[in-house]
Amino acid sequence: MDSFKPRLLLDKLTFSETSKTESEAEWELLLRQAYASDTLARLSAFSHQFKLFTIPQYAESHFVSADKYWLSQKRIVAWELFNLVKVFEQLRIPLILLKGTAYSAAGLNAGLGRIFSDIDILVPKQSLHVVKEALKWSGWFPDSLNRYDQYYYERWMHEMPPMHHIQRGTSLDVHHNIVPQTCALCPDASLLLDAAVRVPNTDYWTLSREDMVLHSATHLFWGGEFDHGLRDLSDLDLLLREFSQSDAEFWSRLLNRAGVLGLGQPLFYALRYTAKLLATPVPETVLSQAERYAPSMAKTRIMDFLFCRVLLPFHPSCADKWTGLARWSLYVRSHWLKMPWYLLLPHLLIKAWMRIVEKESSPKIG
């Protein structure tokens, strides 16, 4: 059984040059933690781009493989963006990229070694229909959904049902906001769209720097799945480091923007846990100012108990007896945050009934 070593991978993802992994057994465990957390290609970038540690020869092949996969994915995404740009040019709507796609396309450090499964874009809600129809003509079709799920997406969600290209099989998520419309934290999407910035020398756009951080924070701390929690926390760490180092006014604008968009609490968590787990150099004055968005002291301690477990590498060597409870609690919390109880309870009952009906109606074999 693996020994409990939650800091093994975390220390490699910080910008500390004192991080050492001497034994072959430790490197073997580190590789398994990185594979499980989808951070192996990022570790390679930390070694080769930032020269923070040296990879031993016996482990090099794993990192070479991860690099090749990441570069292959970058080429695939570049081709998809080339084709999407043509669609959006005809519509005269800016192609605004989100999350991993944006980090990669904008050449940010958070795009180094960043693996993602789909392309995420943001469009005005009033343009959803024309965007959907234009994408169909280019080979993108939404997943087939039953009537209730289709209604649920259209009425409550912040995105269209996932789309897949009929020939290439790539995935596309078309958002009109960054959280569901039923979420109490749902910001005014027009503010995000108006502040979007064009990536130099390209035909696509991203959210502003502050909005990019706030979206990443909200996605991580208001979501309920943490299989890639450490990867997403590392995204935030890299965004905060890069933006604050090149812009002396970044911290004050970020704090103010969180207030404007109503996303102060996700920002508080982002600053708190990047500093705690990845030693992100957040100034003490910024941490202190962010406390105006903090929940009560009792709730903060509970969140420490939960997040300081689920944001560790997704591997048995980083789990204790409370990790399972922490994951389940935050999964339940995510549903509670996304929908008020008078919508959530009927939704859960309908979904439970639909699963029973589908199970009973499925053909019996044997």
Side-chain angles (χ1 to χ4, degrees), residues 168-179:
R168 300 188 293 272
T170 45
S171 300
L172 176 68
D173 283 345
V174 181
H175 299 249
H176 59 84
N177 209 315
I178 59 173
V179 291

Side-chain angles (χ1 to χ4, degrees), residues 125-342:
K125 187 176 181 180
Q126 65 270 20
S127 301
L128 283 176
H129 179 72
V130 293
V131 168
K132 180 180 177 180
E133 292 304 310
L135 288 170
K136 282 184 178 180
W137 282 101
S138 296
W140 295 94
F141 287 85
D143 290 351
S144 179
L145 298 177
N146 60 50
R147 186 179 299 177
Y148 174 75
D149 286 343
Q150 186 71 40
Y151 167 80
Y152 175 77
Y153 264 97
E154 292 176 358
R155 182 69 180 87
W156 304 121
M157 290 300 288
H158 58 302
E159 58 184 336
M160 289 168 43
M163 306 185 80
H164 292 87
H165 198 276
I166 195 169
Q167 292 178 318
R168 300 188 293 272
T170 45
S171 300
L172 176 68
D173 283 345
V174 181
H175 299 249
H176 59 84
N177 209 315
I178 59 173
V179 291
Q181 300 172 78
T182 53
C183 181
L185 259 67
C186 187
D188 181 350
S190 66
L191 297 176
L192 302 170
L193 294 164
D194 291 345
V197 295
R198 189 167 189 163
V199 179
N201 304 314
T202 74
D203 292 312
Y204 30 82
W205 301 60
T206 68
L207 299 180
S208 70
R209 290 184 165 194
E210 296 77 29
D211 292 354
M212 201 180 291
V213 169
L214 293 170
H215 179 206
S216 182
T218 305
H219 175 73
L220 176 57
F221 293 104
W222 253 240
E225 298 180 3
F226 292 91
D227 296 9
H228 300 121
L230 177 58
R231 181 201 66 184
D232 295 344
L233 190 73
S234 178
D235 289 347
L236 278 164
D237 169 68
L238 290 170
L239 291 173
L240 291 170
R241 288 177 188 270
E242 184 171 4
F243 294 160
S244 63
Q245 287 171 4
S246 61
D247 184 353
E249 302 299 318
F250 170 73
W251 292 117
S252 61
R253 289 203 314 274
L254 179 61
L255 289 165
N256 291 334
R257 185 64 168 172
V260 170
L261 295 177
L263 300 176
Q265 200 165 112
L267 176 62
F268 167 76
Y269 289 140
L271 298 179
R272 184 175 182 85
Y273 297 115
T274 52
K276 275 181 176 289
L277 297 176
L278 295 177
T280 307
V282 184
E284 286 296 328
T285 54
V286 174
L287 289 172
S288 178
Q289 292 177 61
E291 288 183 0
R292 67 178 182 260
Y293 301 126
S296 67
M297 185 175 295
K299 186 175 180 180
T300 299
R301 288 176 178 172
I302 294 172
M303 292 298 106
D304 283 350
F305 176 87
L306 298 174
F307 282 125
C308 287
R309 284 174 168 81
V310 303
L311 294 175
L312 296 178
F314 188 63
H315 190 267
S317 64
C318 304
D320 63 12
K321 64 180 181 180
W322 300 109
T323 300
L325 174 63
R327 289 184 177 278
W328 179 83
S329 299
L330 289 174
Y331 177 75
V332 173
R333 168 184 175 267
S334 72
H335 285 283
W336 193 256
L337 290 173
K338 290 173 184 174
M339 298 184 80
W341 67 268
Y342 56 86

Side-chain angles (χ1 to χ4, degrees), residues 1 5 83 119 244 346:
M1 185 175 179
K5 291 191 174 182
N83 287 284
I119 296 169
S244 63

Side-chain angles (χ1 to χ4, degrees), residues 78-88 95 138 140 168:
W79 175 245
E80 296 299 346
L81 293 183
F82 173 80
N83 287 284
L84 286 170
V85 162
K86 292 189 287 186
V87 175
F88 279 76
L95 177 60
S138 296
W140 295 94
R168 300 188 293 272

